[in-house]
């Protein structure tokens, strides 16, 4: 399921799996319209009558990225074929162009002919119906098209361009696809096919003993034949090798634009920090949507995916990126949210990258009672994140423009959506989207959202609203201490449920999101009530296996791997483990007290994929990634925790 290699530019996103298949190609939005859809577009090699696809056993594959870059550094070697390949993949930093450069080395002592085959299994606009694949003899390229999406592939060696080609029918009427045609080393040359189609092209290299030669391959995506033809010509004129080098330089400059002292953090922790910044960028659409994840294999579990913009995830990711110095990167997110805001001032469950409303499982009516199908924290956290954005970038004009369109209507909703008897937010769904009630996490986010609105009102001289928002936030703080803190337990509850018969049911489940009490400013980190709550989190949610880490909450069932709840309260999550580190950092009073959270950062590094990709959660016994990877929230939380650590080091010094 994981996607260890991800390259993109905010318009085009391409994912590869661990066997080097291209599994996802999103365009023109990151996360919307997957023109590969989890099928296997792959690379094969023919040498001296023997053929092998790179996904087969026999290849030793090492997957990674170039130093501080979104250009891959992949090594593949096959001892029996006597070949090694060094592969660099990247997406142009501006245009929808995918570039690939392969260094092919002959490991034997004899001269040999090597042929490389590229298979393309597209389902344009997410369906195989009505696609066309065609060889273009004028451009000497192959392209696929349907309606307003064209994908043109081309390449060249030092001697020539495409050597052979074939297009044909796939997965229909016993036809497997042109990838099968490639396995004898010769393509049939069929020039056109329609319907459910694929294509394969090949290139030829003549290698002396121990010689290495290179092949450049590229893919241009656009909304018309003229668009992809123009991009193809641009690659030819600019030289594909130089273009790929420029892509690497761009991302190196981008990830290092903020000069930062990383104190005593190990190099591996710093490297993952930079990799995380780059990977988060690939998941941000240029129009503002911040996508949760784009690993399409999750489809097989519930016929839906993570390629949505959850306002909560987006807000927390935007916070991290703003603090890291990338306010310009996430500024469109807030305009996206302003446009998406309901006329009553709240945001819905999730959104598609084009701004339309995403799928949901939150009903409007339960047991005859009409309700809002929302997670209120998603609205509140956007206001909190906007204030963090302002603090980091001081973009007064942007925030002034959003004050009447986002801040005021959202704050008005937060003030009105209050349970009168308790002065807490009315019931809504929790951040894990599993239960409906009044939760400590949601209440903390509403407190933070109203505080952010109050600060904006004060900033813009709106004294009347400042007082209203600030007093509303303080009432929620007082109500949280009265109703959500249990003095007998000596810690905060996960939440309470208001039953139809008038009863109030307390939820005593220990929950990792209780870190929000200090993280969102309800109480300081060293408050005894916070300390007792977080100690309960550490004690009750620790995964007592060699893998370690912390679970979301007691009895977590999502992708459950163990029934031994005493040792494994749930699978360890990257973000939940980092939330524990955040508290340890916040309460530290000496540099020595930072050793434990520093170890937790190294724990995250040790459970990243070889390429640096972080998953959502881990198998508690093997440490293997579970659910999607990369998860944008995991990478952003890691960035945020590193920054908190560095701030604390500077403070203590």
């Amino acid at each position: 399921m994981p996607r260890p290699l991800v390259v993109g530019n905010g318009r085009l996103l391409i994912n590869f799996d661990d066997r080097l298949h291209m599994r996802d190609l999103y365009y023109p939005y990151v996360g919307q319209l997957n023109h590969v859809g989890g099928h296997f577009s792959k690379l094969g090699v023919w040498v001296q009558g023997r053929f092998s696809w790179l996904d087969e056993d026999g290849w030793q594959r090492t997957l990674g990225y170039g130093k501080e870059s979104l250009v891959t550094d992949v090594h593949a070697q096959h001892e029996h074929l006597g070949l090694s390949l060094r592969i660099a993949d990247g997406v142009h930093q501006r245009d929808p162009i995918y570039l690939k450069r392969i260094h092919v080395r002959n490991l034997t002592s004899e001269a040999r002919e090597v042929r490389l085959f590229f298979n393309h299994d597209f389902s344009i606009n997410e369906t195989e119906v009505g696609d066309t694949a065609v060889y273009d003899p004028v451009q000497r390229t192959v392209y696929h098209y349907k309606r307003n999406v064209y994908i043109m592939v081309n390449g060249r060696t030092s001697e020539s361009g495409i050597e052979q080609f074939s297009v044909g029918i796939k997965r229909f009427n016993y036809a497997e696809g042109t990838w099968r045609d490639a396995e004898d080393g010769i393509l049939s040359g069929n020039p056109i096919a329609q319907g459910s189609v694929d294509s394969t092209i090949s290139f030829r290299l003549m290698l002396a003993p121990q010689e290495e030669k290179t092949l450049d391959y590229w893919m241009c995506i656009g909304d018309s034949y003229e668009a992809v033809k123009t991009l193809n010509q641009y690659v030819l004129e600019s030289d594909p090798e130089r273009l790929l080098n420029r892509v690497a330089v761009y991302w190196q400059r981008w990830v290092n634009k903020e000069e930062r002292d990383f104190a005593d953090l190990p190099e591996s922790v710093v490297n993952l920090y930079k990799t995380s910044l780059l990977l988060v960028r690939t998941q941000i659409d240029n129009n503002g949507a911040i996508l949760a994840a784009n690993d399409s294999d999750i489809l097989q579990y519930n016929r839906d995916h993570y390629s949505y913009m959850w306002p909560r995830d987006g807000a927390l990711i935007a916070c991290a990126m703003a603090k890291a110095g990338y306010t310009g990167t996430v500024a469109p997110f807030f305009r996206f949210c302003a446009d998406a805001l309901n006329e009553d001032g709240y945001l819905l469950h999730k959104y598609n990258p084009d701004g339309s409303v995403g799928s949901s499982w939150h009903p409007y009516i339960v047991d005859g009672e009409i309700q809002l199908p929302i997670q209120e924290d998603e609205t509140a956290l956007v206001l909190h994140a906007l204030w963090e954005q302002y603090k980091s970038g001081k973009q007064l004009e942007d925030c002034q423009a959003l004050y009447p369109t986002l801040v005021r209507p959202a704050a008005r909703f937060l003030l009105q959506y209050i349970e009168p008897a308790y002065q807490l937010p009315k019931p809504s769904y929790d951040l894990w989207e599993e239960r409906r009630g009044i939760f400590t996490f949601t209440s903390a986010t509403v407190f933070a959202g109203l505080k952010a609105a109050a600060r904006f009102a004060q900033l813009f001289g709106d004294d009347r609203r400042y007082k209203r928002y600030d007093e509303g936030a303080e009432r929620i703080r007082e109500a949280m201490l009265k109703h959500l803190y249990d003095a007998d337990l000596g810690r905060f509850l996960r939440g309470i449920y208001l039953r139809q018969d008038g009863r109030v049911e307390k939820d005593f489940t220990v929950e990792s999101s209780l870190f929000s009490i200090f993280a969102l400013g309800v109480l300081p980190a060293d408050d005894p009530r916070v300390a007792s709550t977080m100690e309960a989190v550490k004690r009750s949610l620790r995964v007592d296996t060699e893998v370690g880490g912390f679970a979301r909450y007691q009895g977590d069932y999502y992708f459950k791997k163990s029934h031994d709840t005493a040792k494994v309260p749930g699978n360890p999550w990257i973000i939940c483990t980092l939330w524990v580190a955040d508290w340890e950092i916040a309460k530290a009073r000496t540099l020595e007290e930072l050793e434990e959270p520093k170890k937790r950062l190294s724990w995250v590094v040790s459970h990243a994929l070889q390429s640096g990709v972080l998953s959502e959660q881990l198998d508690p016994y093997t440490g293997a990634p579970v659910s999607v990877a990369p998860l944008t929230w995991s990478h952003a939380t890691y960035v945020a925790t590193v920054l908190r650590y560095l701030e604390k080091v500077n403070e203590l010094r």
Side-chain angles (χ1 to χ4, degrees), residues 203-383:
F203 300 87
R204 180 171 176 263
L205 294 169
M206 297 301 299
L207 295 175
Q210 302 298 322
E211 186 179 17
E212 179 178 284
K213 288 187 177 180
T214 58
L215 158 68
D216 289 299
Y217 163 91
W218 59 91
M219 183 183 294
C220 304
I221 300 94
D223 60 6
S224 67
Y225 173 76
E226 289 300 321
V228 293
K229 186 176 77 170
T230 299
L231 291 174
N232 178 64
Q233 192 60 36
Y234 168 66
V235 176
L236 288 167
E237 292 173 355
S238 302
D239 184 78
E241 180 182 10
R242 290 183 180 179
L243 278 183
L244 191 56
N245 289 339
R246 284 164 54 187
V247 171
V249 169
Y250 174 83
W251 291 117
Q252 287 164 356
R253 300 286 190 272
W254 184 89
V255 82
N256 288 297
K257 76 181 188 70
E258 300 292 326
E259 293 186 6
R260 197 173 300 282
D261 176 8
F262 286 97
D264 61 343
L265 289 178
E267 183 180 4
S268 60
V269 170
V270 175
N271 288 342
L272 185 57
Y273 171 84
K274 293 182 178 182
T275 297
S276 291
L277 287 172
L278 290 164
L279 290 173
V280 169
R281 179 63 187 92
T282 67
Q283 309 300 301
I284 300 176
D285 184 82
N286 288 347
N287 293 298
I290 301 176
L291 283 302
N294 289 293
D295 175 353
S296 64
D297 278 2
I298 195 71
L299 279 167
Q300 65 183 287
Y301 290 93
N302 60 3
R303 301 312 298 165
D304 209 341
H305 48 74
Y306 277 44
S307 294
Y308 295 108
M309 196 284 282
W310 274 266
R312 170 188 48 259
D313 296 35
L316 295 172
I317 293 161
C319 279
M321 294 300 283
K323 289 179 180 179
Y326 296 90
T327 54
T329 301
V330 296
F333 166 76
F334 298 102
R335 295 192 288 273
F336 183 107
C337 291
D339 291 340
L341 200 68
N342 178 279
E343 63 181 359
D344 292 325
Y346 59 83
L347 289 163
L348 291 168
H349 185 178
K350 50 190 163 83
Y351 296 86
N352 295 306
D354 65 358
S356 58
V357 177
S359 63
S360 180
W361 52 88
H362 297 336
Y364 280 89
I365 186 167
V366 173
D367 297 329
E369 178 187 355
I370 296 176
Q371 62 182 33
L372 289 184
I374 64 170
Q375 301 159 38
E376 192 180 1
D377 65 282
E378 299 205 278
T379 302
L381 281 171
V382 170
L383 297 187

